[in-house]
Amino acid sequence: MSSGSVWLKNGKVIMRGGEVFLYPECPCDCEPKVLGSKVLNGSSENEEDRCWDLTPYQGNEVGTPGFHWRLIEVGEDGSCSGVNYGGGNIDECGKLVGLQDEFCSSYSYDGYMELQQGCPDEEGNIKWPCPDGE
């Protein structure tokens, strides 16, 4: 188990698997954030520039438990007007459920990819870490 703090939610200690939940950030509050990013170009001769190894993001404590993740192409300026390449929920251990092992670009331009955490607002709409609020 990693080092972390004990957190309360609604006045109760947050438990995981019958044990006290230790986590470096409070899992009761969510902040939209970028978990990782990479520039990809499908026409590059270098495999590392064509594909993004996502396995480092597949473990526990990557995201905030109970919220959402997505893999999206963003503009060079960070706007989120690009294509969404999948997403899912973040489980009680902070694991991105359903995240694939890698993402490879098939496009011959620089694609600015981000792995993002999103949070619901008061109306239930998911807020993502984008300047345009999408």
Side-chain angles (χ1 to χ4, degrees), residues 117-131:
Q117 172 177 284
C119 310
D121 63 14
E122 300 78 34
E123 289 86 40
N125 301 311
I126 306 299
K127 295 296 181 188
W128 300 100
C130 307

Side-chain angles (χ1 to χ4, degrees), residues 95-108:
K95 184 174 182 176
L96 311 184
V97 178
L99 179 65
Q100 63 263 40
D101 289 342
E102 74 175 358
F103 176 82
C104 295
S105 174
S106 59
Y107 299 109
S108 60

Side-chain angles (χ1 to χ4, degrees), residues 1-78:
M1 183 169 286
S2 70
S3 64
S5 299
V6 175
W7 299 100
L8 299 177
K9 186 172 186 178
N10 299 325
K12 297 181 181 176
V13 172
I14 299 173
M15 304 290 283
R16 171 173 73 185
E19 297 184 19
V20 173
F21 186 89
L22 295 177
Y23 200 74
E25 297 178 28
C26 182
C28 42
D29 297 319
C30 182
E31 289 293 325
K33 62 184 172 182
V34 175
L35 302 172
S37 62
K38 184 162 177 75
V39 178
L40 298 177
N41 190 316
S43 64
S44 174
E45 292 190 22
N46 183 349
E47 167 86 19
E48 192 173 296
D49 294 334
R50 290 191 313 263
C51 295
W52 185 7
D53 176 12
L54 296 170
T55 58
Y57 303 96
Q58 291 181 334
N60 292 335
E61 301 177 2
V62 173
T64 303
F67 297 105
H68 309 279
W69 68 270
R70 73 177 177 180
L71 180 62
I72 188 168
E73 180 180 347
V74 298
E76 188 174 357
D77 61 356

